[in-house]
Amino acid sequence: MSGKNQTIVSEFILLGLPIDPEQRILFYGLFLAMYVTTVLGNLVIIVLIRLDSHLHTPMYLFLSNLSFSDLCFSSVTMPKLLQNMQSQVPSIPYTGCLAQIYFFLFFGDLENFLLVAMAYDRYVAICFPLHYTTIMSPQLCLSLVAPSWVLTTLHAMLHTLLTARLCFCADNMIPHFFCDMSALLKLACSDTQVNELVIFITGGFVVVIPFILIIMSYVRIISSILKVPSARGIHKAFSTCGSHLSVVSLFYGTVIGLYLCPSANNSTVKEIVMAMMYTVVTPMLNPFIYSLRNRDIKGALGRVFHKKTFPFSL
């Protein structure tokens, strides 16, 4: 540390996306449209589930939480990205950077745990259809959702506090469009071994274990279908699990591609592109995945609009 400038960093410069200046306006419009679509799409899902009593089931309880998580997850990074694309000095205060780390981890982890709860819900619906209502009681649903919020709060707070104890010196350039924790660790001029160890240990808990549990749920679902193979059973399973499986594939596919398949060439560009996938593209697509092939959502949308259009109809 003695050979480095010990000036305390009060803000960081987000270098943003590798976009040519002449294309900046085009990409700004694209990202703005994607963010507005994300907000509106997830809000529609949340409002529909709230207003329509037919959707007051465990599956849609988890879906409303997932939509809220997606909306907030995208809002952690996108508004700042849009602001910095219009700014001559794309900076973020030190405290703002820590806050962004906290909420990024919080809502990213929350999506992991909610996807596990939804996988278990689909497992019970297909493997134990006659006992679904009994098994998926309100008490069980609460015991699946509430610990997810508590665990994500503790995990995000742990990493935020560990990052806050680090010293940052003269170099404050972050080659990313948000305060990515791994990028911050590279800028720190103090020992980061504890941070890296905690990331390695907790990463298995919040990413690997949920992914294994989801895989186990689908293995049980597939084995249950194969015991009594029929076209009707396969179609029912696909219609029941198709949306959730698509979301799982999209979310974990980008995470695995980023963290488990490292690339020596253009690693920074790859990290930015993959981060855009799971922070911007996935939250935007989730409402469409769950609504376009979901008859319950379409029916709820029709009923809500019918009430608004004909409020006095019988």
Side-chain angles (χ1 to χ4, degrees):
M1 292 179 59
S2 60
K4 293 187 177 182
N5 190 341
Q6 294 299 306
T7 302
I8 302 299
V9 171
S10 60
E11 65 177 12
F12 294 97
I13 304 299
L14 297 172
L15 299 182
L17 305 174
I19 299 174
D20 294 333
E22 58 269 18
Q23 297 178 335
R24 190 172 297 273
I25 297 178
L26 174 64
F27 276 94
Y28 179 85
L30 174 63
F31 293 143
L32 178 60
M34 293 174 69
Y35 179 60
V36 171
T37 302
T38 300
V39 172
L40 293 179
N42 284 288
L43 279 178
V44 167
I45 297 292
I46 294 171
V47 172
L48 281 179
I49 294 173
R50 175 65 178 171
L51 294 180
D52 196 289
S53 59
H54 296 84
L55 301 182
H56 294 174
T57 63
M59 173 183 175
Y60 294 106
L61 168 67
F62 299 138
L63 178 56
S64 63
N65 279 267
L66 182 68
S67 294
F68 177 77
S69 176
D70 281 334
L71 191 158
C72 296
F73 190 44
S74 181
S75 298
V76 171
T77 58
M78 285 302 292
K80 188 61 181 176
L81 170 63
L82 293 171
Q83 178 188 353
N84 286 345
M85 291 183 72
Q86 295 294 311
S87 174
Q88 297 296 326
V89 183
S91 62
I92 183 171
Y94 174 79
T95 54
C97 193
L98 291 180
Q100 197 174 60
I101 289 175
Y102 173 81
F103 288 109
F104 180 85
L105 291 173
F106 178 86
F107 291 111
D109 294 346
L110 183 60
E111 181 148 351
N112 273 318
F113 291 120
L114 290 174
L115 289 175
V116 174
M118 296 174 76
Y120 180 73
D121 175 76
R122 297 301 84 203
Y123 160 70
V124 174
I126 292 177
C127 298
F128 306 99
L130 300 179
H131 303 283
Y132 175 79
T133 305
T134 304
I135 296 175
M136 297 302 297
S137 62
Q139 292 78 14
L140 178 61
C141 294
L142 182 62
S143 67
L144 290 174
V145 173
S148 299
W149 286 80
V150 174
L151 290 174
T152 53
T153 299
L154 296 176
H155 180 252
M157 183 62 69
L158 173 63
H159 284 293
T160 305
L161 293 176
L162 287 176
T163 304
R165 58 180 278 275
L166 298 176
C167 295
F168 297 94
C169 304
D171 190 3
N172 67 338
M173 301 285 185
I174 300 178
H176 220 301
F177 64 92
F178 68 97
C179 285
D180 181 60
M181 191 164 56
S182 61
L184 274 180
L185 293 182
K186 296 176 183 177
L187 297 181
C189 54
S190 56
D191 187 21
T192 61
Q193 290 184 357
V194 175
N195 298 70
E196 294 168 356
L197 179 61
V198 173
I199 290 173
F200 178 78
I201 295 174
T202 60
F205 177 73
V206 300
V207 178
V208 178
I209 292 179
F211 183 67
I212 292 175
L213 292 175
I214 292 173
I215 295 298
M216 290 174 59
S217 297
Y218 277 100
V219 168
R220 296 293 298 273
I221 290 172
I222 294 172
S223 63
S224 176
I225 295 172
L226 293 179
K227 288 180 181 178
V228 187
S230 66
R232 182 179 179 183
I234 294 174
H235 180 266
K236 179 182 178 182
F238 179 77
S239 61
T240 303
C241 302
S243 299
H244 178 260
L245 193 58
S246 300
V247 172
V248 169
S249 302
L250 192 61
F251 181 80
Y252 283 101
T254 54
V255 173
I256 291 173
L258 178 59
Y259 295 107
L260 300 184
C261 302
S263 173
N265 298 323
N266 300 325
S267 58
T268 301
V269 175
K270 177 186 174 181
E271 288 179 4
I272 293 175
V273 171
M274 298 301 285
M276 288 292 297
M277 285 296 296
Y278 69 79
T279 59
V280 180
V281 178
T282 300
M284 180 187 69
L285 293 181
N286 283 356
F288 296 97
I289 293 173
Y290 274 104
S291 61
L292 291 179
R293 296 180 57 87
N294 192 308
R295 289 179 296 179
D296 293 337
I297 294 292
K298 292 179 181 178
L301 189 62
R303 287 188 292 271
V304 169
F305 272 105
H306 184 267
K307 290 180 180 178
K308 296 297 183 182
T309 307
F310 307 102
F312 302 106
S313 61
L314 297 178

